[in-house]
Amino acid sequence: MGFLFLGTTLMATTGMVKETKAQRVERLKREKNAWEHFDEIERFAREGFDSIPKEWLGTYFRAWGIYTQGDGQGVVGSGAAGGEGKAVPYFMVRIRIPNGQLTSRQLRTVAELSRRHARGTADLTVRQNVQLHWVTIEGLPEVMRSLWRAGLTTTAACGDVARNVTGCPLAGVDAGELCDASPLAIEASRELAGNPYFYNLPRKFKVSITGCRVWCAYPEINDVGLTAVVRDVRGRREAGFALRVGGGLSADPHLAVPLDVFVQWDQAVPVVRAVAEVFRDSDMLRENRERARLKFLFLRHGWTAERFQSEIERRLGFLLDPAVPSEPPRDVYRDHIGVHAQKQPGLVTVGAAVLRGRISPDQMLATADLAEGFANGEVRTTTMQNLLILNVPAARAAALAKELDAIGLRVGGSPFFRGAVACSGTEFCKLAITETKSYARWLVEEMEDRLPEFDQDLRLHVTGCPNSCGQHWIADIGIEGKKMKVGGRLVDAYYFCVGGGLGEHAGFARPIGYRCPADEVPGALERLLRQYLADRSGGETLRRFFSRHTDDDLRAFLAGREVVAVPRDPSPGPVPRGAEL
């Protein structure tokens, strides 16, 4: 049979062959740059939700940082089809916060929009963004204009574009930082977001630029990770960056690959742009939506670090200097919670934990007031879904901490409260299998009651499906949403992965073959952590404890008895593919 390619539709002598999902998305992106058509969003607002065509609901809105919202049942609900749950006529709106930098005025704007347009709901994300929910098409233009007036935007917070550029929330004030890289993160964000040159990428593209020593923006799991290093040039100290490319999580986690380069300060943004160009021009990554990330050049297409470096240098038009020794951080905790001295004499940063990232308008307004009353109004978001207030006089830190605690944002708190991270889950996400936000809160409360004496830092990540928006692959304990049949009916369940971490001994959490219903997770965690407390040697961390025990041992600790391993992936419902969050 002979074939003829016409656009992206495959024509055969016997008739038409339907476009694949990837072909359809690629065609739509070529046909229209949605950033140039805000007027259509305004028209939809006037004419109502039913006037919105499918290509906007499924593709074009995403470039504006907007998703349709799920019906609360996720991918296994009765209305699910094609690997996604049923959508309702409301939107999730993601606000781009480069380097996590906010002013009190901007935080007030987000709070008021949450109150007026989002039923009082907002979430801090693992990329330092803020997400609103329940936004109607009628209110969408006002939301976007209000953000623009405040110096914020939703542009490129979702979709096949360069996502929010993350960085250290203590940039500029961290006493131990090698350099303040936040100007580069802001510049890179301006270079990529809204730039029609980078409108049509194969999929999402994530960039991290940090000058801190602890790599709190997780460069190892970004498509581009720039981390500060220092070299000596004729007796002069010069700060620059090491470069890693191709990191990511989802269903196929991959650590970013280090390149043999020293990136000078004024080369950083051109290098980010060159990597984005390599990604944009990799047509082989456009053939399958589930394998369209930069990491698949390494995982499936045989690329090496040397080939990638040669390609970006060709685009730059010059060779980069050879790498200098870099010191990945040890297994440090990166939540920034508590009171920390700044390099500015007499000033401190006060960090408060926002349990599972969910924050109310009242809490945001109170935080804005406190940032002005105790400091100069600078607020930062973190990759662990928390908030920081900068430039607080040290003598006033205790009083500020007390005020934050009073509104439910804990400056202290248990390891469970501080370490909990959760994705959107079935409450709003069409791709999720389990509910996560309320569940994470209940889980933390249960663990605080069961183990009030637990004294170790703990990254406890809850993700509602295999796509790892809750980043369970890099957690001490990561639980991944599944379904199980109990008494003849499907219930939420979780599969355990343990021992993940980044830095000096970077590695993903290992699936250990244990799954249980959601309501049995606290008991399983209590058994596991009591075993750790009883058996730990000296200052042994959880990660080291996990590494010296077999999967069989760990399953037995969790279950309270020996149990046979169960496979990770099978689920009674369809496993979602192609997550975008």
Side-chain angles (χ1 to χ4, degrees):
M1 190 186 322
F3 294 93
L4 171 69
F5 281 96
L6 181 60
T8 57
T9 302
L10 189 61
M11 300 187 66
T13 56
T14 57
M16 302 287 288
V17 175
K18 185 179 179 180
E19 287 178 310
T20 66
K21 179 180 179 180
Q23 289 170 337
R24 181 176 183 274
V25 171
E26 291 302 319
R27 172 175 59 80
L28 290 174
K29 290 187 296 180
R30 285 196 303 272
E31 291 175 353
K32 179 182 293 185
N33 177 349
W35 292 334
E36 299 172 350
H37 294 276
F38 180 68
D39 60 317
E40 293 192 47
I41 297 177
E42 293 179 301
R43 177 170 61 81
F44 302 148
R46 292 191 301 269
E47 298 178 3
F49 189 86
D50 291 342
S51 70
I52 307 172
K54 290 182 179 179
E55 57 266 28
W56 268 93
L57 292 173
T59 300
Y60 296 138
F61 269 132
R62 297 182 180 187
W64 282 103
I66 299 162
Y67 280 104
T68 52
Q69 189 168 295
D71 65 355
Q73 298 185 61
V75 76
V76 295
S78 59
E84 288 190 2
K86 182 180 179 181
V88 294
Y90 297 96
F91 296 98
M92 180 278 286
V93 178
R94 185 178 294 154
I95 304 165
R96 188 182 182 96
I97 315 289
N99 207 90
Q101 295 183 341
L102 280 169
T103 66
S104 54
R105 171 176 167 263
Q106 290 171 328
L107 187 58
R108 281 198 188 90
T109 296
V110 176
E112 292 298 342
L113 291 174
S114 172
R115 177 173 286 164
R116 293 200 310 268
H117 293 283
R119 300 187 184 179
T121 301
D123 293 325
L124 306 181
T125 80
V126 293
R127 289 201 68 77
Q128 298 178 287
N129 299 300
V130 181
Q131 291 180 177
L132 304 179
H133 302 281
W134 296 111
V135 177
T136 65
I137 186 60
E138 290 81 6
L140 191 53
E142 182 187 342
V143 169
M144 297 170 78
R145 287 195 184 94
S146 296
L147 291 170
W148 295 338
R149 286 193 294 268
L152 297 170
T153 186
T154 66
T155 303
C158 308
D160 297 353
V161 293
R163 302 291 183 86
N164 191 45
V165 179
T166 60
C168 178
L170 295 181
V173 303
D174 176 15
E177 69 183 357
L178 295 173
C179 63
D180 174 5
S182 60
L184 294 177
I186 301 299
E187 184 182 350
S189 183
R190 290 172 178 161
E191 173 72 15
L192 298 172
N195 185 344
Y197 200 56
F198 298 109
Y199 169 73
N200 180 8
L201 300 178
R203 272 297 278 286
K204 55 190 171 186
F205 181 70
K206 298 182 176 180
V207 178
S208 165
I209 305 176
T210 184
C212 74
R213 296 177 185 271
V214 298
W215 298 3
C216 58
Y218 303 145
E220 306 99 319
I221 58 171
N222 277 260
D223 295 286
V224 184
L226 287 168
T227 54
V229 291
V230 174
R231 70 178 179 181
D232 183 82
V233 180
R234 295 184 295 276
R236 180 177 60 86
R237 177 185 181 275
E238 180 186 3
F241 298 90
L243 173 63
R244 289 169 173 76
V245 296
L249 296 179
S250 193
D252 297 286
H254 183 253
L255 290 172
V257 176
L259 303 189
D260 183 20
V261 299
F262 176 92
V263 179
Q264 298 176 41
W265 182 275
D266 60 357
Q267 296 171 340
V269 174
V271 163
V272 171
R273 182 185 177 100
V275 178
E277 289 174 350
V278 172
F279 184 45
R280 181 198 61 202
D281 298 339
S282 298
D283 288 340
M284 74 282 287
L285 297 179
R286 298 181 183 272
E287 297 172 358
N288 185 306
R289 294 287 293 172
E290 281 70 50
R291 296 193 292 273
R293 294 291 303 280
L294 191 68
K295 64 185 178 182
F296 286 102
L297 291 179
F298 298 100
L299 288 172
R300 287 184 171 266
H301 298 286
W303 280 51
T304 62
E306 293 75 18
R307 179 178 176 182
F308 204 106
Q309 180 174 331
S310 176
E311 182 60 24
I312 63 171
E313 289 176 333
R314 182 183 70 80
R315 292 171 182 271
L316 289 168
F318 57 84
L319 299 180
L320 295 165
D321 293 343
V324 299
S326 178
E327 294 185 17
R330 296 184 181 274
D331 192 15
V332 295
Y333 203 56
R334 313 179 190 187
D335 69 351
H336 299 299
I337 298 306
V339 178
H340 301 279
Q342 297 183 186
K343 60 185 174 184
Q344 294 82 7
L347 298 180
V348 299
T349 296
V350 179
V354 182
L355 181 57
R356 83 266 202 247
R358 177 64 52 84
I359 190 166
S360 71
D362 287 345
Q363 287 174 318
M364 286 187 278
L365 291 170
T367 300
D369 290 343
L370 292 171
E372 290 177 350
F374 284 83
N376 66 343
E378 286 193 58
V379 180
R380 303 279 173 91
T381 58
T382 82
T383 55
M384 284 195 69
Q385 304 177 317
N386 299 321
L387 278 178
L388 315 180
I389 295 177
L390 275 58
N391 301 313
V392 180
R396 305 193 70 194
L400 174 57
K402 184 176 180 180
E403 294 282 352
L404 287 166
D405 286 343
I407 61 171
L409 304 180
R410 295 187 191 172
V411 176
S414 72
F416 304 108
F417 195 102
R418 292 178 56 167
V421 168
C423 69
S424 293
T426 55
E427 182 181 13
F428 298 120
C429 179
K430 302 187 300 295
L431 301 170
I433 297 174
T434 59
E435 195 280 323
T436 57
K437 290 290 190 185
S438 295
Y439 178 76
R441 180 172 186 166
W442 172 79
L443 180 60
V444 166
E445 290 171 350
E446 279 286 313
M447 297 313 300
E448 287 179 331
D449 286 343
R450 290 167 179 261
L451 284 171
E453 73 277 21
F454 192 76
D455 60 353
Q456 295 297 301
D457 292 334
L458 172 69
R459 296 180 295 266
L460 177 60
H461 290 214
V462 182
T463 193
C465 79
N467 292 291
S468 194
C469 295
Q471 298 183 334
H472 67 298
W473 290 122
I474 61 170
D476 294 305
I477 302 174
I479 55 175
E480 177 186 300
K482 300 291 182 186
K483 292 290 187 187
M484 287 181 67
K485 279 193 174 180
V486 177
R489 66 185 185 92
L490 284 179
V491 300
D492 282 5
Y494 283 95
Y495 189 96
F496 285 74
C497 301
V498 305
L502 299 174
E504 184 178 20
H505 304 292
F508 296 120
R510 75 185 202 251
I512 58 171
Y514 184 72
R515 179 180 64 201
C516 68
D519 61 1
E520 296 181 11
V521 169
L525 284 176
E526 180 183 1
R527 288 187 288 270
L528 176 67
L529 296 178
R530 286 198 183 280
Q531 188 72 39
Y532 162 68
L533 292 175
D535 290 356
R536 61 180 169 177
S537 175
E540 184 178 45
T541 65
L542 264 173
R543 197 172 179 201
R544 289 176 182 169
F545 173 79
F546 292 146
S547 69
R548 69 177 174 89
H549 285 91
T550 66
D551 291 355
D552 291 344
D553 292 337
L554 296 172
R555 285 198 307 275
F557 298 157
L558 285 162
R561 65 187 190 283
E562 290 186 6
V563 290
V564 177
V566 296
R568 169 178 162 255
D569 289 325
S571 169
V575 176
R577 304 298 298 171
E580 295 281 355
L581 296 178

